[in-house]
Amino acid sequence: MDLAYRDDAREQALIRLVKGFLFIPVCIALLGALLALITLLVDNLGLLSGVYEAFKFQEIGPDGARSVLSTIAGAMMSVISLVYSLTLVVFTLAAGNISPRLLETFASNRTTQVTIGLLGATFLYALLVLYMIDETRDVRFSVTMSIVMAAASFFWLVYFVNDVASRIRIDTEIGRIQASLRASIDGLLASEPREKPNDRDAIPSLPAHAAAARRSGYVTFIDSDRLIALAANLDGFVEVLVSPGTFVIEGMPIAEVLTETEDPDFGELHKAFRIGKARAPEGDIQFSVHLMVEIALRALSPGVNDSYTAISAVDHLSASLARILQRGAPSALLHDQEEKPRLWLKLLPVRDLLDTAMRPLRQASINNILVLDHLIGALRKMSTVCRPEHLPLLEHQLLNVVSDANQTIRSRPDRKQIADALRSARQTLKSKKAA
């Protein structure tokens, strides 16, 4: 196993560790234990004796201190069990009613991680102080801090319950997914120039050296800055053959290095590709698109039959896709600081991204007039803000709806409703072209 592979494996392990319910809660809990040692030291040194006397702070006996601390420690353990149980129930509801892929975002929810960590910190704090109490030790400050931590845990628990209640509301979760998708799209569009028809002409004619994947899995991240630096060091060009979200097989080509160097070192190139066992929402636009489509398809399934959830998913998805249609596709060609072309990324074309979202929604809603009418309306709204060069893509989607509707819809009132919606959308497209 080479160094690059070990580095990538360690990085993936660290990401999984931070995302779960282990690393952050344990770190916060250990901070509680450290705080217990600090407060006990403050009590032993009598650093706050003057403060106690000035404010006439009453002493607390060993028995009273033990009673307070044991009550807090026992309560924290009970609440920790409740939090874990509630989290697992939310996981089950989300996986069954919304989408199993939501568990990826639920597991990395900072509110849940901090809640478990804070309750664990309060438990360890009370337990350690309880263990150190004797007849000669004045632990007023330590007991006061345990009460403060218990109060903080209570208020944070209230916030946690409110957060959990919002996470299982499907409309709220659709809004969260749409915000994540929008942030990914905005980040991509903000950092990249717009695509030009002759971008590919900038790729130099140099000997190509294929770089193969060293492990199987999903591409979760591609470090373009590192690839640009590699191309500059080799005085060449790097063409990436895969995109985030692509499943690669060990040994398949993932990039081509164009350079005069006979035997280039691919160590830095492999460090630029992060390959994991599962897809990640960060940097993978298709992940959030598929998640939104999956929610809509589940809502349209015969077992659920929730048209308004599907409509909500269509609305939010159309708003995100309109970002790309309005601004234009980003350029796959990247330059170094000297404005010399160095990198070609494999980006999903706008047509394919639109088909990825609209094709399954159109197929699933063809027998649901309410959702199909809303889908046509979403295409019409997107046409009002999209660039002229993308209008044929929306027109193609409308033609697909016409083709499916002619073969499937038999009811005369339903056919009239869909025909009116299509007529309105076509008029909007025509007026947009004429503008």
Side-chain angles (χ1 to χ4, degrees):
M1 183 182 294
D2 60 17
L3 182 61
Y5 184 88
R6 289 197 299 268
D7 290 342
D8 185 65
R10 282 195 294 266
E11 187 177 9
Q12 291 296 325
L14 181 61
I15 292 173
R16 288 194 300 270
L17 192 65
V18 173
K19 278 188 173 183
F21 293 147
L22 177 64
F23 183 75
I24 292 179
V26 167
C27 289
I28 298 175
L30 291 178
L31 289 177
L34 179 62
L35 181 61
L37 300 178
I38 294 173
T39 56
L40 287 169
L41 180 62
V42 171
D43 283 330
N44 289 340
L45 297 178
L47 299 179
L48 298 178
S49 299
V51 177
Y52 296 154
E53 294 177 0
F55 289 93
K56 297 181 180 180
F57 200 83
Q58 294 183 353
E59 294 186 4
I60 183 170
D63 292 337
R66 290 191 183 99
S67 177
V68 171
L69 293 169
S70 60
T71 300
I72 291 176
M76 290 303 107
M77 279 304 298
S78 300
V79 176
I80 288 174
S81 301
L82 176 64
V83 169
Y84 270 111
S85 300
L86 188 58
T87 301
L88 293 178
V89 169
V90 170
F91 273 29
T92 304
L93 290 175
N97 297 337
I98 306 178
S99 170
R101 287 164 186 82
L102 276 180
L103 301 186
E104 179 72 23
T105 59
F106 276 32
S108 58
N109 184 15
R110 289 287 182 262
T111 301
T112 305
Q113 293 173 343
V114 172
T115 301
I116 297 171
L118 182 58
L119 295 173
T122 306
F123 169 75
L124 288 181
Y125 178 91
L127 199 64
L128 287 177
V129 175
L130 181 63
Y131 175 76
M132 298 299 293
I133 290 178
D134 56 33
E135 301 298 329
T136 61
R137 191 187 297 269
D138 182 9
V139 290
R140 277 182 287 182
F141 180 62
S142 299
V143 173
T144 302
M145 282 301 300
S146 69
I147 296 174
V148 171
M149 293 182 66
S153 299
F154 166 76
F155 288 110
W156 189 265
L157 182 64
V158 173
Y159 175 73
F160 165 76
V161 173
N162 178 73
D163 182 75
V164 168
S166 66
R167 296 299 293 241
I168 59 177
R169 293 200 296 266
I170 190 165
D171 287 337
T172 303
E173 199 56 40
I174 289 174
R176 291 177 190 268
I177 298 169
Q178 191 264 353
S180 175
L181 175 58
R182 242 173 155 184
S184 299
I185 293 174
D186 289 344
L188 180 64
L189 298 181
S191 59
E192 305 294 345
R194 227 175 59 215
E195 182 182 26
K196 298 178 182 177
N198 59 343
D199 275 347
R200 198 158 184 90
D201 296 339
I203 299 179
S205 298
L206 295 172
H209 305 268
R214 297 187 177 181
R215 55 189 269 183
S216 300
Y218 289 97
V219 178
T220 59
F221 178 73
I222 299 176
D223 190 344
S224 57
D225 292 335
R226 178 169 285 181
L227 292 176
I228 291 175
L230 171 66
N233 291 335
L234 296 174
D235 192 22
F237 189 89
V238 176
E239 181 177 358
V240 178
L241 304 178
V242 296
S243 60
T246 303
F247 185 84
V248 298
I249 301 174
E250 182 180 356
M252 72 172 283
I254 58 175
E256 283 188 348
V257 179
L258 309 179
T259 178
E260 296 288 353
T261 305
E262 293 184 0
D263 189 17
D265 184 10
F266 291 153
E268 286 298 315
L269 184 142
H270 287 289
K271 291 180 182 179
F273 288 83
R274 186 182 299 163
I275 299 177
K277 296 179 180 178
R279 297 178 68 173
E282 298 83 6
D284 185 1
I285 294 179
Q286 285 193 86
F287 181 90
S288 297
V289 172
H290 289 166
L291 185 56
M292 195 77 80
V293 171
E294 183 179 357
I295 291 174
L297 295 183
R298 277 176 171 265
L300 292 173
S301 63
V304 179
N305 195 22
D306 184 0
S307 299
Y308 288 99
T309 294
I311 288 174
S312 179
V314 169
D315 286 339
H316 285 290
L317 187 58
S318 63
S320 297
L321 294 175
R323 289 274 185 166
I324 297 179
L325 296 174
Q326 186 177 18
R327 196 266 190 189
S331 175
L333 182 67
L334 300 183
H335 300 75
D336 59 12
Q337 296 180 350
E338 299 177 356
E339 294 301 321
K340 191 172 183 179
R342 292 297 185 188
L343 178 64
W344 182 272
L345 295 174
K346 183 178 177 59
L347 301 179
L348 189 68
V350 178
R351 175 186 292 273
D352 293 346
L353 185 62
L354 201 59
D355 282 342
T356 298
M358 293 300 164
R359 182 186 294 116
L361 292 176
R362 185 191 75 248
Q363 293 170 347
S365 62
I366 194 64
N367 292 316
N368 190 317
I369 303 303
L370 178 64
V371 178
L372 184 61
D373 183 40
H374 208 84
L375 182 63
I376 298 171
L379 291 170
R380 181 183 61 80
K381 293 175 184 177
M382 284 190 284
S383 68
T384 62
V385 298
C386 82
R387 300 180 64 82
E389 61 265 28
H390 295 320
L391 288 174
L393 302 180
L394 297 177
E395 190 173 14
H396 175 72
Q397 296 297 328
L398 290 174
L399 289 175
N400 289 338
V401 173
V402 172
S403 176
D404 290 350
N406 285 333
Q407 299 180 18
T408 307
I409 301 175
R410 297 293 177 227
S411 171
R412 182 175 298 177
D414 291 345
R415 292 176 69 88
K416 183 178 183 306
Q417 180 180 348
I418 298 303
D420 291 342
L422 288 169
R423 189 180 302 108
S424 175
R426 284 176 167 174
Q427 288 176 353
T428 303
L429 280 168
K430 187 179 295 185
S431 61
K432 184 71 175 180
K433 288 181 179 179

